[in-house]
Amino acid sequence: MRTSIRRSHRLVAFTAVAALATGLLAGCANDSDDGSSDASGGNGKGKITLTVGTFGVFGYKQSGLYDEYMKLHPDINIKENVTTRTDVYWPKVLTRLQAGSGTDDIQAIEVGNITEAVQTQADKFVDLGKEVDKSQWLDWKNAQATTKDGKLIGLGTDVGPMAICYRKDLFKKAGLPTDRETLAKEWKGDWAKYVDVGKQYMKKAPDGTKFVDSASSVYNAALGGGSERYYDKDGNVIWDKSSGVKKAWDVAMSVATSDMSAKLKQFDKPWDQGFANAKFATVACPAWMIGYIEQKSGDSGKGNWDVAAAPTAANWGGSFIGVPKAGKHQKEAIALAKWLTAPAQQAKVFAKQASFPSTPSAYASLKPAADTTAYFSNAPITQIFAASAKTIPVQYFGTKDQPINSALTDVGILQVEQKGKSPSQGWDAAKNEIKDVLGQ
Amino acid sequence: MTSSKQALARPATSADSAPGTPPGAARGAHGPGAPAGDDSWRRRLYRWDMKAAPYAFVAPFFILFGAFSLIPLLYTAWYSLHDVQLSSLDHQTWAGLGNYQRLLSSDFFWNALKNTFTIGLISTVPQLLAALGLAHLLNYKLRGSTAWRVVMLTPYATSVAAATLVFTLLYSWDGGMVNWVLHFFGVDPVNWRESDWGSQFAVSSIVIWRWTGYNALIYLAAMQAIPADLYESAAIDGANRWQQFRHVTIPQLRPTILFTVVVSTIGATQLFGEPLLFGGVSGSKGGSEHQYQTLGLYMYDQGWVIGNLGKASAIAWTMFLLLLIIAAVNLLLTRRLRKSQ
């Protein structure tokens, strides 16, 4: 008896080790396997869990859309996987798409990455063009997510029409008009006029305040209003010849070389503090930034912020949601994506999060949250952004749009603004950087 | 190897050579006339067990090592010889040593190498010196010595991210605490993130803050192993505290110091989290002039931000070779030291 017990002990240890080893190995391969078994069992009985991969704050959860959808569809359960930073989110999505596993059922795509997705990942996404009524969306929004052969790989979520958010109290102290229409008229049509207002502001600026948060934000705003960015229609890099870049760069330089910038880097902690301590009087604000300003400025900003139309209609940011073919429940995911991006739902996200809809039919019924309206001095936020959204030019993005943009803002402009380099030195530095980006 | 084999084998032998102990009880299960074939099978199984068991026990590590270190390492080497974009991994074109060539002719690479070296130097040297001093102080009889030691280790226990975010606020150009303190001494505010030396100093200070206590505890452990009579005889010879430290403690600590130098050097070569987070948004650039971009950051920027995976792989392999060189130099030094003793 004793021997067999000893032996069985050893056998147990042995099999345990073996099982552990094979289990570890199998762990890698498992993903794709239970995908297929899940999909077959999903249609009939039992709950299906749909995962939605997003970055930052999308507002779906915050505005209760998931709960609402789950109530409408009792057999569906929704889980959101949030990655805070876009620069972490996107590489992760890219590798998973190519591995053909591990993607969420719905995957958000930022506007800066949409061209890369369209040009290199189109075969990994479901063509949504046949599933939806495309005329719901703004034309330029659809155009960004459509491949050359007409496949629509992402449904537009929000857009980033631009306005100028400004602090009435600081404007008043600096002896400037505080009325939003007067101001809009003063800088209408040209960002250079906005810089002129800045010069006036600086003459009598309240202690410790600047006119604008950073030169880069002015650059981004001005660039978003031109028709040319870094690539032409056929996907050739034209960044150093682009009229849009030149114009935006010049305006940014006039800010960077003056004393009107608080020299902050957007979305850094000190920038947040800048809102809380009222360090700057204006910021070019795409619609999605409204909620951010309200949150970061806190109670002290209430009723002091106001919104005026931007010099030119411009877009900054906005996203899409696509359905990867690798997802486990394509049919259900398409239905959810359609529902989430429909005008009625976009309006609900706007009410909560102030992310501006990409579907014009929603504009008439838009209602910002009551506290947001009060926060921004009862400014007609919806009208201002809607007017901007409808007149935004179609812009062509490229595969390396984001790295090129950050080379110009985080290297070129930052060197001029914070290190006192000359504009031409800044331009050369950005040029070097872009060469590196493009692998030249 | 042999000793472990014996250890494994011992219980097995005693169990198998059961005939002596309880007469017939063990074999009773099979009956007295158990067939001979079963016995030889059992012996074969036992021999196989003897040979295979050790391998099975060490296998998990090697399987993990293979899956998560060796294969990625070789795959990276393969990538580094190709032009690969993050967005199209299956689309690879042969580049030969092109990526390495481009790397060696790139200013950004040499800049990153230089930064890695300077930041490593200004973080490692003060860190180890401070650790040595602190360990020496802790080695005295102190009230609540355990509490002091725990306090020393707390910075090491905080996460890189948390520590760096706090330091970023302290060093913020406008309204940061460091500049606020400096202004009492009449120093103009320093733009810690954008100035060349300022940013490197700031990054180093985070590293120093996190690792000094850790190294101090290692030194302390080694110091407590130094026999007390060495100090006693030194005291009889009239050596004061400082002389004791120099002529007794330091020589006795030599192997420990070497160990910490090697570990810190490797850590410094791989420096990544602190500068990345210190840079805030777009931290992978390491400042507008790449003034604190380390090799690790450069690799991340190339691979995951810009998407040139081929080039990023070449950087990874260059770093790997650098670490091998450091290890070789260390080996030489250790041998030299041992001979001189």
Side-chain angles (χ1 to χ4, degrees):
Chain A
M1 226 25 228
R2 236 177 85 204
T3 41
S4 63
I5 287 176
R6 287 266 170 105
R7 175 134 337 134
S8 73
H9 271 220
R10 243 183 310 150
L11 208 70
V12 166
F14 209 96
T15 40
V17 170
L20 194 75
T22 48
L24 282 169
L25 278 180
C28 317
N30 248 347
D31 277 3
S32 49
D33 282 13
D34 37 77
S36 52
S37 63
D38 241 79
S40 57
N43 285 336
K45 43 224 138 103
K47 263 195 171 184
I48 295 175
T49 299
L50 291 178
T51 56
V52 183
T54 62
F55 49 86
V57 181
F58 253 64
Y60 290 152
K61 187 184 257 166
Q62 290 78 356
S63 48
L65 287 190
Y66 294 143
D67 289 336
E68 198 181 330
Y69 194 80
M70 286 189 272
K71 224 176 249 170
L72 291 169
H73 302 83
D75 55 332
I76 285 186
N77 189 25
I78 303 173
K79 204 180 135 239
E80 190 179 58
N81 296 325
V82 188
T83 308
T84 321
R85 287 173 60 161
T86 343
D87 55 342
V88 177
Y89 170 82
W90 185 239
K92 200 162 70 183
V93 174
L94 277 181
T95 45
R96 286 179 180 176
L97 281 173
Q98 293 174 75
S101 78
T103 56
D104 292 312
D105 293 296
I106 290 179
Q107 209 77 69
I109 310 166
E110 220 262 339
V111 64
N113 303 121
I114 191 70
T115 313
E116 191 172 23
V118 163
Q119 290 183 3
T120 66
Q121 311 296 320
D123 55 330
K124 310 274 195 309
F125 280 101
V126 174
D127 177 11
L128 296 165
K130 298 166 212 140
E131 312 279 345
V132 294
D133 173 15
K134 282 197 247 182
S135 65
Q136 287 181 83
W137 283 272
L138 292 160
D139 291 337
W140 58 266
K141 185 78 177 171
N142 274 335
Q144 289 173 340
T146 308
T147 62
K148 272 198 182 131
D149 50 349
K151 275 167 59 180
L152 183 70
I153 65 158
L155 302 179
T157 58
D158 60 323
V159 288
M162 197 82 74
I164 302 287
C165 295
Y166 64 100
R167 285 196 68 128
K168 268 192 324 197
D169 53 336
L170 297 183
F171 266 55
K172 198 172 174 189
K173 279 185 204 155
L176 290 176
T178 56
D179 175 54
R180 61 184 82 91
E181 266 150 49
T182 320
L183 284 169
K185 240 178 239 158
E186 208 157 317
W187 55 53
K188 191 176 168 61
D190 195 346
W191 285 89
K193 290 186 192 166
Y194 168 74
V195 176
D196 289 339
V197 175
K199 283 178 190 151
Q200 284 175 45
Y201 177 89
M202 289 316 291
K203 276 181 202 156
K204 275 179 69 184
D207 256 3
T209 71
K210 300 284 181 183
F211 181 63
V212 67
D213 61 332
S214 69
S216 294
S217 84
V218 179
Y219 172 83
N220 278 328
L223 185 73
S227 53
E228 269 188 337
R229 281 174 71 92
Y230 306 125
Y231 287 77
D232 68 9
K233 217 172 158 177
D234 305 315
N236 303 310
V237 195
I238 52 153
W239 76 274
D240 50 351
K241 299 184 275 286
S242 156
S243 61
V245 173
K246 169 122 192 29
K247 242 187 208 165
W249 175 267
D250 289 344
V251 174
M253 282 305 113
S254 62
V255 173
T257 52
S258 71
D259 63 342
M260 70 174 74
S261 165
K263 303 185 183 185
L264 296 165
K265 226 164 150 187
Q266 291 200 319
F267 300 102
D268 261 357
K269 282 274 167 302
W271 189 59
D272 293 351
Q273 289 180 323
F275 278 114
N277 303 331
K279 289 262 181 198
F280 44 85
T282 68
V283 57
C285 54
W288 45 262
M289 205 187 273
I290 289 278
Y292 194 91
I293 295 173
E294 192 179 333
Q295 192 195 337
K296 296 298 172 189
S297 301
D299 284 341
S300 69
K302 191 166 184 178
N304 286 327
W305 281 99
D306 204 328
V307 185
T312 58
N315 183 63
W316 180 6
S319 301
F320 299 84
I321 53 179
V323 177
K325 284 182 181 161
K328 292 171 189 169
H329 313 286
Q330 268 179 38
K331 227 176 79 194
E332 292 80 4
I334 292 170
L336 174 61
K338 258 168 87 171
W339 187 81
L340 285 174
T341 53
Q345 275 64 252
Q346 291 205 14
K348 282 175 202 159
V349 177
F350 178 79
K352 175 75 192 170
Q353 207 69 36
S355 299
F356 206 72
S358 53
T359 48
S361 65
Y363 292 173
S365 64
L366 286 187
K367 272 199 200 80
D371 59 317
T372 304
T373 316
Y375 201 90
F376 289 91
S377 318
N378 298 314
I381 299 175
T382 51
Q383 278 105 299
I384 293 172
F385 286 128
S388 172
K390 285 177 186 162
T391 52
I392 289 167
V394 179
Q395 290 193 325
Y396 297 99
F397 284 72
T399 45
K400 302 258 165 164
D401 224 87
Q402 272 200 333
I404 293 178
N405 193 65
S406 67
L408 279 156
T409 56
D410 299 335
V411 172
I413 294 174
L414 207 64
Q415 282 195 11
V416 178
E417 190 173 38
Q418 301 207 359
K419 303 197 82 168
K421 300 258 164 119
S422 75
S424 68
Q425 280 172 321
W427 181 261
D428 288 341
K431 197 172 186 168
N432 262 338
E433 190 79 31
I434 292 172
K435 264 190 186 165
D436 195 48
V437 166
L438 299 171
Q440 289 166 346
Chain B
M1 202 56 210
T2 43
S3 68
S4 76
K5 237 182 193 168
Q6 279 161 359
L8 272 174
R10 206 162 293 135
T13 8
S14 72
D16 226 52
S17 59
T21 25
R27 308 215 153 203
H30 296 291
D38 181 40
D39 204 47
S40 82
W41 182 80
R42 224 197 280 165
R43 206 175 301 148
R44 222 183 305 151
L45 191 72
Y46 161 67
R47 210 181 296 147
W48 184 76
D49 181 3
M50 279 278 286
K51 273 192 189 147
Y55 292 106
F57 286 126
V58 296
F61 169 76
F62 284 97
I63 291 170
L64 284 179
F65 175 78
F68 294 106
S69 299
L70 195 64
I71 294 174
L73 191 73
L74 297 177
Y75 218 72
T76 311
W78 178 250
Y79 268 171
S80 74
L81 301 174
H82 289 79
D83 276 330
V84 197
Q85 290 290 312
L86 179 63
S87 53
S88 42
L89 290 175
D90 33 8
H91 191 82
Q92 306 169 3
T93 47
W94 178 256
L97 292 175
N99 280 323
Y100 292 93
Q101 260 164 21
R102 259 189 287 163
L103 209 58
L104 295 183
S105 63
S106 153
D107 292 343
F108 296 130
F109 170 73
W110 292 109
N111 172 61
L113 187 62
K114 191 198 81 195
N115 288 344
T116 309
F117 181 74
T118 49
I119 296 178
L121 203 68
I122 57 177
S123 59
T124 308
V125 174
Q127 179 196 138
L128 293 183
L129 288 179
L132 208 52
L134 280 171
H136 185 63
L137 290 179
L138 280 176
N139 205 17
Y140 285 114
K141 278 213 172 73
L142 284 177
R143 198 182 292 244
S145 59
T146 321
W148 289 111
R149 285 170 204 173
V150 170
V151 168
M152 299 276 308
L153 208 57
T154 32
Y156 174 64
T158 41
S159 82
V160 195
T164 310
L165 287 178
V166 172
F167 270 87
T168 309
L169 284 181
L170 294 183
Y171 280 118
S172 102
W173 171 72
D174 200 17
M177 202 140 106
V178 177
N179 276 343
W180 175 73
V181 171
L182 282 181
H183 105 270
F184 288 115
F185 300 96
V187 181
D188 283 337
V190 180
N191 189 338
W192 291 103
R193 198 187 279 173
E194 282 306 315
S195 68
D196 297 345
W197 281 103
S199 59
Q200 297 204 352
F201 173 82
V203 171
S204 306
S205 68
I206 307 170
V207 180
I208 293 172
W209 181 80
R210 276 197 76 221
W211 291 93
T212 303
Y214 173 83
N215 284 312
L217 285 195
I218 291 182
Y219 287 146
L220 179 64
M223 277 177 192
Q224 295 194 327
I226 301 174
D229 42 347
L230 280 181
Y231 289 104
E232 270 166 33
S233 49
I236 291 168
D237 286 345
N240 62 25
R241 292 265 192 203
W242 171 242
Q243 283 166 331
Q244 287 176 20
F245 179 69
R246 271 193 58 198
H247 298 290
V248 179
T249 313
I250 297 285
Q252 290 286 320
L253 281 185
R254 217 186 268 166
T256 317
I257 293 175
L258 199 71
F259 167 77
T260 54
V261 167
V262 173
V263 170
S264 307
T265 313
I266 292 176
T269 317
Q270 298 173 327
L271 188 65
F272 175 72
E274 286 89 347
L276 177 77
L277 293 165
F278 181 70
V281 183
S282 76
S284 62
K285 293 246 178 293
S288 66
E289 279 192 302
H290 299 238
Q291 60 269 29
Y292 52 92
Q293 188 176 47
T294 58
L295 279 176
L297 274 191
Y298 186 50
M299 176 178 74
Y300 177 71
D301 191 48
Q302 280 295 328
W304 302 99
V305 179
I306 295 174
N308 296 328
L309 264 194
K311 202 167 162 194
S313 306
I315 301 169
W317 259 80
T318 314
M319 282 175 75
F320 178 61
L321 294 178
L322 269 177
L323 285 176
L324 286 186
I325 293 172
I326 291 173
V329 170
N330 162 54
L331 202 70
L332 275 177
L333 275 180
T334 328
R335 283 215 186 124
R336 191 62 63 81
L337 263 178
R338 215 172 279 155
K339 261 183 210 157
S340 72
Q341 268 177 352

